[in-house]
Amino acid sequence: MSKRGLSREEKKTKKQKGIVQQSVKEILDELVSDSLVIFDKIGTSNSRLVQRWVTDPALLTKEKQAQLDKAASESEALKAKIKEAKVALKAAEKGREDTAERRKLLASLAEVQATSASLKVELAAFGAADPIMYERKKKAIDVAKAASQRWTDNVSLLVSYLRSMSGESESELRTQLGVPENWDDLDISK
């Protein structure tokens, strides 16, 4: 004779070792879905899972009522926020009614903004003639001249030092250093 499976009622009432864990899980899932048992998870990992099973109908009713009350209070809070938003929207719309005068003012504003943009472009074109920019460029040129003179002096000193130490000619040292013959002929007096 083949073994027949346990009925649902037999699985619920059987309380001895040897019950297959999967069948227990299935029965508990059914009980939870039928709202005959409440299932709470505490923790995040399966290894530290704590479960609370409640089968008392009074506790079930109390918990369901608490959930209902919480949902109702959240609903009321959202309705209040919606009402506040509608009031704020109406207040913001005051003075913004679509009238002929408002359309005329908006067109005037657009025209002024376009004029402002074109004047900014024109002003940017005159930036090269700006006295402040001219002074900044002049100072930058003076700094560049001073730096070029300092480097010219430093290279001359280096070539002289190497010439005295090695006895090679100045042209040979310049070739080895990659310095051209006319490197110090820059006219920086302008």
Side-chain angles (χ1 to χ4, degrees), residues 101-119:
E101 181 183 354
R102 184 169 193 277
R103 285 192 296 271
K104 183 180 175 183
L105 289 173
L106 287 174
S108 175
L109 175 64
E111 184 180 323
V112 169
Q113 286 174 337
T115 303
S116 173
S118 67
L119 289 175

Side-chain angles (χ1 to χ4, degrees), residues 7-24:
S7 70
R8 183 175 177 203
E9 291 301 315
E10 289 173 331
K11 288 179 184 178
K12 284 182 186 178
T13 57
K14 190 166 185 178
K15 294 182 179 182
Q16 63 181 3
K17 290 184 179 182
I19 295 177
V20 178
Q21 186 176 3
Q22 185 61 33
S23 64
V24 172

Side-chain angles (χ1 to χ4, degrees), residues 43-89:
T44 56
S45 67
N46 290 338
S47 61
R48 297 183 182 193
L49 184 64
V50 177
Q51 301 174 346
R52 178 174 59 100
W53 302 100
V54 180
T55 55
D56 185 6
L59 288 176
L60 286 172
T61 304
K62 185 177 178 182
E63 190 154 331
K64 292 293 182 185
Q65 187 62 45
Q67 290 174 355
L68 181 64
D69 292 343
K70 181 181 176 186
S73 66
E74 288 175 359
S75 174
E76 290 301 318
L78 288 174
K79 285 179 183 176
K81 284 184 180 181
I82 290 171
K83 188 175 181 180
E84 289 174 15
K86 285 181 179 179
V87 169
L89 180 63

